[in-house]
Amino acid sequence: MSTLRVPQQVPPASEDCEQLKKAFKGWGTNEDLIISILGHRNAAQRKVIRQTYAEAYGEDLLKELEKELTSDFERSILLWTLDPAERDAFLANEATKKWTKSNQVLAEIACSRSSHELLLARQAYHSRYKKSLEEDVAHHTTGDFRKLLAPLVSSYRYEGDEVNLTLAKSEAKLLHEKISDKAYNDEDIIRILATRSKAQINATLNHYKNEFGNDINKDLKADPKDEYLAILRATIKCLVRPEKYFEKSLRLAINKRGTDEGALSRVVTTRAEVDMNIIKEQYHKRNSVTLDQAIKKDTTGDYEKMLLALVGHEDA
């Protein structure tokens, strides 16, 4: 579900490109003009703008933006202007290079995207970095993390709604046995999470809760400091309740200890055209302030304006 508000009458890409070229000229960059164009165009329109810009001026729009802008505003604009698959490839590459055990970005990309979107991200990764995402994940991660993340990023799940209830029951029992034995890295747990369709996993986890009394993620909180368990919980949330996962990511990014701009930009740019309305509702319910208000309180200037445009703020 797209939540980005695109103006009814979108000017032709050539006109947008002329305006963007104008924004780069003169004594200073016209950031407002850049936001008014790129912040209000959908993925297909942004792609055409990039192609048209390259044809008209022989320059890469992304490189121009990089040259003209700075800091968190630059990052949010660059992430947003990328094609969604290129963006996922870029974020995944960054996550492998800076990988730490608490980094959940690879699980997030592998599990909250559709099979087709993940396939496109892998192809974009291949074309941009001249190697495979699977290769980099296997190279940069270790132990249980590698055991879980390598099959997740190479997954291609069935996308339909059909569910095998007998299988759901038997796999719920299997998951419960392994978790009760604290065998969190067991290959059956990883196999189920990395290969079953989201509908099938949902049915299995519903059965798990009905049969054994607890939400599976509650049973995976045995040791709150265990980072492998944290990634396992993130995997499950992204597979069955991505909007809850992203609401929590935003809540953690905007907190009293200071803003995590990297997470804030990533979540807003990757979800603005997907499920931002649902995430906003969840955020409001959970935090008693709207996401718009939280962004206004925690960010400033062009960065704030860009984020508000993307979350569909009325005045954007």
Side-chain angles (χ1 to χ4, degrees):
M1 180 179 75
S2 174
T3 59
L4 183 71
R5 294 184 311 112
V6 177
Q8 296 274 296
Q9 288 300 314
V10 175
S14 55
E15 203 174 299
D16 278 343
C17 291
E18 272 173 43
Q19 291 298 311
L20 286 167
K21 193 71 181 162
K22 234 181 243 177
F24 301 143
K25 282 184 175 163
W27 287 104
T29 310
N30 186 340
E31 287 86 356
D32 284 341
L33 185 54
I34 294 170
I35 296 168
S36 75
I37 297 168
L38 294 176
H40 296 85
R41 301 292 182 269
N42 64 29
Q45 290 161 344
R46 297 192 304 276
K47 193 172 186 172
V48 176
I49 289 171
R50 276 174 67 191
Q51 287 164 346
T52 309
Y53 196 93
E55 285 158 16
Y57 305 109
E59 286 158 349
D60 181 343
L61 177 60
L62 289 166
K63 286 192 174 136
E64 292 281 280
L65 290 164
E66 223 171 306
K67 222 164 46 188
E68 297 290 333
L69 311 175
T70 56
S71 194
D72 299 314
F73 174 54
E74 176 198 348
R75 183 175 169 85
S76 63
I77 284 269
L78 289 176
L79 281 178
W80 177 245
T81 308
L82 282 168
D83 185 68
E86 286 178 288
R87 184 197 302 136
D88 280 345
F90 172 80
L91 290 167
N93 179 258
E94 196 177 61
T96 59
K97 286 196 294 202
K98 296 178 181 172
W99 193 76
T100 62
K101 290 174 179 180
S102 61
N103 188 328
Q104 298 179 355
V105 174
L106 291 168
E108 177 183 308
I109 290 170
C111 301
S112 68
R113 312 309 193 240
S114 71
S115 289
H116 185 60
E117 286 164 347
L118 181 56
L119 178 65
L120 291 177
R122 288 205 295 268
Q123 288 170 341
Y125 198 99
H126 212 264
S127 133
R128 184 170 181 148
Y129 300 108
K130 308 300 175 235
K131 49 190 168 169
S132 72
L133 172 58
E134 297 90 326
E135 188 185 340
D136 271 355
V137 168
H139 176 67
H140 289 283
T141 58
T142 55
D144 290 345
F145 295 92
R146 180 191 289 161
K147 203 173 161 184
L148 173 68
L149 290 168
L152 284 178
V153 299
S154 49
S155 179
Y156 191 80
R157 303 169 195 277
Y158 167 65
E159 286 285 335
D161 295 329
E162 284 82 355
V163 162
N164 179 333
L165 288 174
T166 312
L167 184 66
K169 282 180 183 179
S170 67
E171 292 196 332
K173 186 169 179 283
L174 184 59
L175 288 172
H176 189 257
E177 280 166 13
K178 302 296 183 186
I179 291 169
S180 300
D181 291 343
K182 296 191 159 60
Y184 305 122
N185 63 353
D186 186 273
E187 57 192 39
D188 277 324
I189 293 182
I190 291 167
R191 173 185 60 78
I192 292 165
L193 294 179
T195 63
R196 295 294 181 217
S197 73
K198 292 180 182 181
Q200 185 67 38
I201 290 172
N202 220 356
T204 300
L205 299 187
N206 284 338
H207 191 75
Y208 183 104
K209 190 174 183 177
N210 295 339
E211 189 71 17
F212 306 110
N214 262 351
D215 187 274
I216 192 170
N217 271 355
K218 205 168 180 187
D219 287 345
L220 289 170
K221 269 195 182 143
D223 178 358
K225 289 200 176 98
D226 185 318
E227 284 165 326
Y228 172 73
L229 286 186
I231 283 201
L232 210 48
R233 292 194 303 272
T235 296
I236 290 166
K237 256 193 193 168
C238 285
L239 285 168
V240 296
R241 289 192 293 270
E243 67 287 346
K244 281 198 167 179
Y245 169 87
F246 288 111
E247 183 280 323
K248 188 178 181 183
S249 301
L250 288 171
R251 188 169 8 115
L252 294 175
I254 305 170
N255 63 44
K256 294 182 181 72
R257 291 190 302 280
T259 312
D260 177 351
E261 287 86 2
L264 181 55
S265 299
R266 186 184 78 250
V267 174
V268 169
T269 55
T270 57
R271 305 316 286 182
E273 293 179 286
V274 185
D275 52 2
M276 186 52 76
N277 280 341
I278 305 169
I279 294 167
K280 280 165 72 174
E281 274 167 34
Q282 293 271 345
Y283 191 93
H284 196 185
K285 249 186 237 168
R286 186 72 210 248
N287 304 281
S288 73
V289 292
T290 65
L291 181 57
D292 295 12
Q293 288 167 326
I295 287 171
K296 275 183 173 179
K297 189 166 169 287
D298 258 48
T299 59
T300 55
D302 298 317
Y303 181 50
E304 176 196 337
K305 287 179 198 166
M306 183 60 187
L307 293 178
L308 290 175
L310 296 189
V311 299
H313 186 63
E314 290 315 305
D315 304 328

